[in-house]
Amino acid sequence: MNAPGLSGNPGRSAGSADPSSSSSGGGGGKRKRKNNMSSGTVPNAAPSGGSNDVGLEEPKKMTREDWRKKKELEEQRKLGNAPAEVDEEGKDINPHIPQYISSVPWYIDPSKRPTLKHQRPQPEKQKKYSTSGEWYKRGVKEHSVATRYRKGACENCGALTHSKKDCMERPRKIGARYTGMNIAPDEHVQPQLTFDYDGKRDRWNGYNPEEHMKIVEEYAKVDLAKRTLKAQKLQEELASGKLEQVNSPRHQWGEEEPNSQTERDHNSEDEDEDKYADDIDMPGQNFDSKRRITVRNLRIREDIAKYLRNLDPNSAYYDPKTRAMRENPYANTGKNPDEVGYAGDNFVRYTGDTISMAQTQLFAWEAYDKGSEVHLQADPTKLELLYKSFKVKKEDFKAQQKESILEKYGGQEHLDAPPAELLLAQTEDYVEYSRHGTVIKGQEKAVACSKYEEDVKINNHTSIWGSYWKEGKWGYKCCHSFVKYSYCTGEAGKEIANAEASLLQEQPREEEHMTKPKTLMEIHQEKQKEKKKKKHKKSSNSDSEGEEKKKQEKLKKALNAEEARLLHAKELMQMDERKRPYNSIYDSREPTEEEMEAYRMKRQRPDDPMASFLGQ
């Protein structure tokens, strides 16, 4: 007997007309389960043992109408026309979530309520961390000893923090459980704390805010002591008569005296501030004597930021990490570095006595390497005198060397030449040019001459040699003469040159008409050449005929092969794909010219109006 709800045909109603649900024979159960899965219902496989009837009952099969309504509702939800499903927490479920994600497994919720709880992180699988308030124990009394045995303590020594198996004391003949004497103190066991990423890096974790109250109280006591001292000094001054009474006639009319109490309090506060003025760090610097480093703090707010001095992106580079701008930000603006308030960090390094100090230090190192015992910090006066004498001797040596070279090789006149500005004729004369290059204002710059003589015209020529060129020859432009150093003939020379050119063009035509008579030997040689040409033409004609015959034969063979290929391809296309041989339609070799011609001749074009008559 089958249990109710676990029959061989569960959920089958009389009104169900689904043809896919009909089954016959022993395989009916498998087909029904398959149909249930395809219709969207998942059969419950919960254990049968238990009093919960919901887990035992298998979901009823949906009819076609119910299935259609469910699908329509899903489509309306996706379009936004119907409200979305709501889970047990009251949150909307996105209707676009696929079914394999939104469907609830039977072991999560047998009631099949709409939920996405199974997709969220399960609390039992989440790693638990210690809270921010938990910390290691502080101020635990280590030497507190119990007077009697406590339940659950070590049977050997009586401590609560371990058992008898883990006890490290000498085994007693009679344990503390039975004697109740000499009970050992409890060990100081710290808790095992596990923090997350932020908890491990929390600087204030475990800090007790009550400890800060001690600092507040200390400052309050110091302030109270200052006020009592001020009050005592004020009483002493009043008693000695150094201060005037408050009930003076000027004070009664509301006028405060210059040495009034408020001004005195203000002055005393300034004095107190001046006491600690030496301890205040410079703005932008913070020196720590323990670490021996200088920490750069914020800049002075009254100063202009370095990166705002020149907003051109191609100007000096500003390093935001070190807040340094080594180059001059006004370099491309034409301003003098001495007139600018800030000219870059390197300007300070390369101005003033910095360069001379570096040169002196370099000289000290070189002198020490050569045996002179000098040091910049130990004996600066000696080093300065030695460096001055070294520079004088160096200049004398250079002058003496220069004189010796000039005496030996000469060339003093080249050293006495004027400066390069005068040699290049550079002046400050203003010249303005148009867009075409012509001078509008000022005098045009003189063309620099070469070392050769220019524009020297000889033999009555009005142009120089090389001003005329024709047919690969140079000449004079004034008379078209190609003979160098010739006398100029002017326009008459141009006419003669043109007449000679026309004669040279007519000469070949006359030579064609006036042919010389040929000798018998030349006639015989020409006849022999003509015979050879005729023989060569005949042989070439016979060769060309043979080649054409071969081409025709190859073309016939290619046409037959193309017909066979088309028939074979037609048979393969009619064959089933699964029975067709592998790579049967493809050929990897390159086709020949005859095969390509045969393919073009046999190819049928669908747009050809005579295509239907080709097969007849």
Side-chain angles (χ1 to χ4, degrees), residues 279-490:
D279 299 334
I280 298 173
D281 298 322
M282 286 177 60
Q285 297 287 336
N286 184 12
F287 182 74
D288 192 355
S289 59
K290 294 179 181 178
R291 291 181 291 174
R292 295 292 179 187
I293 58 172
T294 302
V295 183
R296 291 186 178 181
N297 293 333
L298 296 173
R299 59 178 173 82
I300 304 172
R301 292 298 166 184
E302 288 79 8
D303 294 347
I304 302 172
K306 296 176 183 177
Y307 52 83
L308 293 178
R309 292 183 177 272
N310 191 352
L311 299 180
D312 185 8
N314 297 324
S315 63
Y317 172 71
Y318 174 74
D319 188 7
K321 187 175 182 181
T322 58
R323 293 177 183 167
M325 184 180 282
R326 293 170 180 83
E327 298 178 1
N328 183 10
Y330 303 102
N332 299 326
T333 58
K335 296 182 180 179
N336 192 4
D338 298 328
E339 299 174 357
V340 179
Y342 177 77
D345 297 338
N346 289 343
F347 182 76
V348 181
R349 299 178 184 175
Y350 304 132
T351 53
D353 295 335
T354 311
I355 300 172
S356 61
M357 180 69 73
Q359 292 175 352
T360 310
Q361 180 68 67
L362 185 64
F363 171 73
W365 290 336
E366 292 176 353
Y368 184 79
D369 292 340
K370 293 179 181 178
S372 300
E373 293 184 359
V374 288
H375 197 274
L376 181 62
Q377 283 79 23
D379 200 352
T381 310
K382 180 182 177 182
L383 178 63
E384 188 69 25
L385 293 171
L386 188 63
Y387 185 49
K388 283 183 179 179
S389 63
F390 168 75
K391 286 194 289 185
V392 172
K393 289 180 181 178
K394 187 177 181 181
E395 289 174 0
D396 295 343
F397 175 73
K398 282 184 177 180
Q400 189 176 0
Q401 191 178 20
K402 183 179 178 181
E403 289 176 0
S404 62
I405 291 171
L406 289 173
E407 287 177 1
K408 188 173 184 181
Y409 299 104
Q412 184 65 35
E413 64 276 4
H414 299 292
L415 297 176
D416 297 335
E421 290 82 4
L422 298 177
L423 289 174
L424 297 174
Q426 293 181 353
T427 60
E428 294 182 358
D429 295 338
Y430 177 75
V431 182
E432 186 176 345
Y433 296 89
S434 66
R435 66 175 64 185
H436 305 292
T438 58
V439 178
I440 300 173
K441 289 182 182 180
Q443 188 178 2
E444 190 174 1
K445 187 179 178 181
V447 180
C449 300
S450 64
K451 65 179 181 179
Y452 302 101
E453 292 181 351
E454 296 181 6
D455 296 333
V456 178
K457 298 162 186 176
I458 58 173
N459 297 335
N460 203 24
H461 284 287
T462 57
S463 60
I464 60 171
W465 166 260
S467 58
Y468 181 68
W469 185 87
K470 186 178 181 181
E471 296 178 358
K473 292 185 288 182
W474 292 101
Y476 295 98
K477 188 178 180 181
C478 53
C479 59
H480 291 187
S481 174
F482 297 106
V483 181
K484 198 173 184 181
Y485 301 113
S486 63
Y487 193 81
C488 182
T489 55

